[in-house]
Amino acid sequence: MGEFDLIRQFFQRPAVPGAAVALGVGDDCALLDLAPGMQLAVSSDMLVEGRHFLSTVDAALLGHKALAVNLSDLAACGARPLAFTLALSLPSVDEAWLAGLAQGLFALADAHGCQLMGGDTTRGPLNLCITVFGEVPRGGALLRSGARAGDELWVSGTLGDARLALEVFRGRLSVPEAVFAAARARMEQPTPRVALGLALRGIATSAIDISDGLAGDLGHVLRASGVGATLDADAVAGTLAARGAVALDAAMQRSLTLAGGDDYELAFTAPADRSADVEAAARAAGVVVTRIGRIEAEPGLRVVDAQGHPVDQRFASFDHFG
Ligand code: ADP
Ligand code: MG
């Protein structure tokens, strides 16, 4: 199968009347219509075999995750997904694999009204790069730089479950089958918090999506905003879904929730007097949010327990897995 047959068979779909994509796959460029007063929000993420996924991963799950991590960046900016491009490097043409990839990709894309508008296909080591395009009202994007002293710090959903699954895969942890299945679904099929990002426009002062672990990603927000924070480790521990279902010591729970990574939840800040609005936004988006700390003028991240005592920060190093 040649390059153009491959594109036509797996990636070219009928035009959607009225969509932002005025011209999709098939010409030298795609054309995107932008509504007046809107800015384009753009983000790319590349997935490389051996580094971000194993060759054995199910193709549909890979298609889902490749788009999900990109949509998560739009969510963190409060942007509405419009379209994406897909650059694919393939060692060979495996039709069953491509069909699986397309199925996982388009299921998530359709759920978000986000159209594949173009891309590139070449022979080479397996990797895929997606660029997403979203819209946000001019000046209305949620940025990393907007956190202010006195703001409250929030996180969506649950943290640590993807990392829990990874540690089980690596043979470093063992948990009941049902716990593993749920954790594995979090790792392989993350849910980008797009609806929450949209609902937080005009409420949140800053936001970031958690890909590398809460403590590390929060550090980006604190530096960009020129502030510090105190984080309640016990409040964060409550966001580990497997908590209670499996006996984990406190140090392990903290490592998973504070430094686990691959969560694709949103960490965000909002003024303390907007907490009811935050709760309402989360309800409207169908997501649980948890208040986990406070932004302060003093730079740096201070992690404390429920009594306010400093917590051992070695959770970040994951050395007790080693
Ligand atoms: P060009 O040579 O002008 O760069 P290509 O031959 O690479 O164009 O691609 C032909 C058309 O197919 C273009 O519209 C391009 O956007 C689209 N395309 C190529 N690869 C993909 C892909 N993996 N997914 C979606 N569209 C693709
Ligand atoms: Mg090309």
Side-chain angles (χ1 to χ4, degrees), residues 10-11 13-16 19 63-64 67-68 71 81-84 102-117 192:
F10 296 106
F11 300 115
R13 302 168 93 209
V16 178
H64 174 100
L67 182 58
L71 291 175
L82 297 174
F84 67 105
Q103 187 253 311
L105 195 66
F106 286 127
L108 184 64
D110 292 348
H112 289 278
C114 188
Q115 267 181 273
L116 180 59
M117 67 186 295

Side-chain angles (χ1 to χ4, degrees), residues 195-216:
L196 180 63
L198 292 173
L200 287 172
R201 277 184 194 164
I203 300 171
T205 51
S206 75
I208 191 168
D209 67 314
I210 305 173
S211 51
D212 296 334
L214 173 65

Side-chain angles (χ1 to χ4, degrees), residues 69-122:
V69 302
N70 278 280
L71 291 175
S72 180
D73 285 315
L74 290 185
C77 285
R80 180 188 307 284
L82 297 174
F84 67 105
T85 60
L86 169 67
L88 253 187
S89 170
L90 299 169
S92 62
V93 176
D94 176 341
E95 292 192 31
W97 188 90
L98 279 165
L101 181 81
Q103 187 253 311
L105 195 66
F106 286 127
L108 184 64
D110 292 348
H112 289 278
C114 188
Q115 267 181 273
L116 180 59
M117 67 186 295
D120 199 22
T121 306
T122 172

Side-chain angles (χ1 to χ4, degrees), residues 152-173:
E152 291 175 325
L153 176 61
W154 298 79
V155 73
S156 69
T158 61
L159 299 180
D161 303 293
R163 183 59 183 258
L164 178 75
L166 182 64
E167 296 304 323
V168 173
F169 266 119
R170 288 173 168 172
R172 294 169 173 175
L173 264 180

Side-chain angles (χ1 to χ4, degrees), residues 194-236:
V194 174
L196 180 63
L198 292 173
L200 287 172
R201 277 184 194 164
I203 300 171
T205 51
S206 75
I208 191 168
D209 67 314
I210 305 173
S211 51
D212 296 334
L214 173 65
D217 286 327
L218 182 57
H220 298 310
V221 170
L222 301 182
R223 276 187 296 280
S225 300
V227 295
T230 293
L231 186 63
D232 178 349
D234 291 332
V236 182

Side-chain angles (χ1 to χ4, degrees), residues 3-317:
E3 177 188 338
F4 301 106
D5 294 328
L6 183 160
I7 295 165
R8 210 172 304 120
Q9 178 163 346
F10 296 106
F11 300 115
Q12 193 157 18
R13 302 168 93 209
V16 178
V21 176
L23 181 66
V25 172
D27 213 308
D28 293 307
C29 287
L31 298 173
L32 194 60
D33 284 332
L34 209 53
M38 291 294 191
Q39 283 179 316
L40 204 52
V42 182
S43 181
S44 284
D45 262 296
M46 179 150 57
L47 274 77
V48 176
E49 182 186 1
R51 177 149 188 93
H52 302 101
F53 63 93
L54 300 175
S55 57
T56 51
V57 74
D58 178 82
L61 294 175
L62 181 62
H64 174 100
K65 189 161 179 177
L67 182 58
V69 302
N70 278 280
L71 291 175
S72 180
D73 285 315
L74 290 185
C77 285
R80 180 188 307 284
L82 297 174
F84 67 105
T85 60
L86 169 67
L88 253 187
S89 170
L90 299 169
S92 62
V93 176
D94 176 341
E95 292 192 31
W97 188 90
L98 279 165
L101 181 81
Q103 187 253 311
L105 195 66
F106 286 127
L108 184 64
D110 292 348
H112 289 278
C114 188
Q115 267 181 273
L116 180 59
M117 67 186 295
D120 199 22
T121 306
T122 172
R123 197 176 288 272
L126 181 58
N127 87 52
L128 49 163
C129 181
I130 287 179
T131 300
V132 278
F133 302 86
E135 65 173 10
V136 67
R138 186 172 302 280
L142 305 177
L143 305 179
R144 297 179 178 188
S145 54
R148 295 293 172 261
D151 284 354
E152 291 175 325
L153 176 61
W154 298 79
V155 73
S156 69
T158 61
L159 299 180
D161 303 293
R163 183 59 183 258
L164 178 75
L166 182 64
E167 296 304 323
V168 173
F169 266 119
R170 288 173 168 172
R172 294 169 173 175
L173 264 180
S174 110
V175 298
E177 191 55 40
V179 173
F180 175 57
R184 179 176 181 173
R186 289 299 308 274
M187 180 179 78
E188 293 182 334
Q189 281 194 289
T191 305
R193 300 302 185 191
V194 174
L196 180 63
L198 292 173
L200 287 172
R201 277 184 194 164
I203 300 171
T205 51
S206 75
I208 191 168
D209 67 314
I210 305 173
S211 51
D212 296 334
L214 173 65
D217 286 327
L218 182 57
H220 298 310
V221 170
L222 301 182
R223 276 187 296 280
S225 300
V227 295
T230 293
L231 186 63
D232 178 349
D234 291 332
V236 182
T239 67
L240 183 66
R243 186 173 181 258
V246 45
L248 298 172
D249 64 41
M252 176 70 79
Q253 280 190 28
R254 284 176 189 152
S255 291
L256 293 172
T257 53
L258 293 169
D262 245 9
D263 300 297
Y264 301 103
E265 295 294 348
L266 297 185
F268 58 95
T269 58
D273 63 6
R274 303 294 306 270
S275 59
D277 297 325
V278 169
E279 301 273 13
R283 262 195 310 279
V287 185
V288 171
V289 292
T290 308
R291 202 177 345 210
I292 55 170
R294 188 173 283 274
I295 301 298
E296 294 152 348
E298 189 192 344
L301 178 62
R302 293 160 287 282
V303 184
V304 300
D305 63 19
Q307 284 73 47
H309 299 132
V311 157
D312 185 346
Q313 298 246 1
R314 272 178 302 175
F315 62 79
S317 69

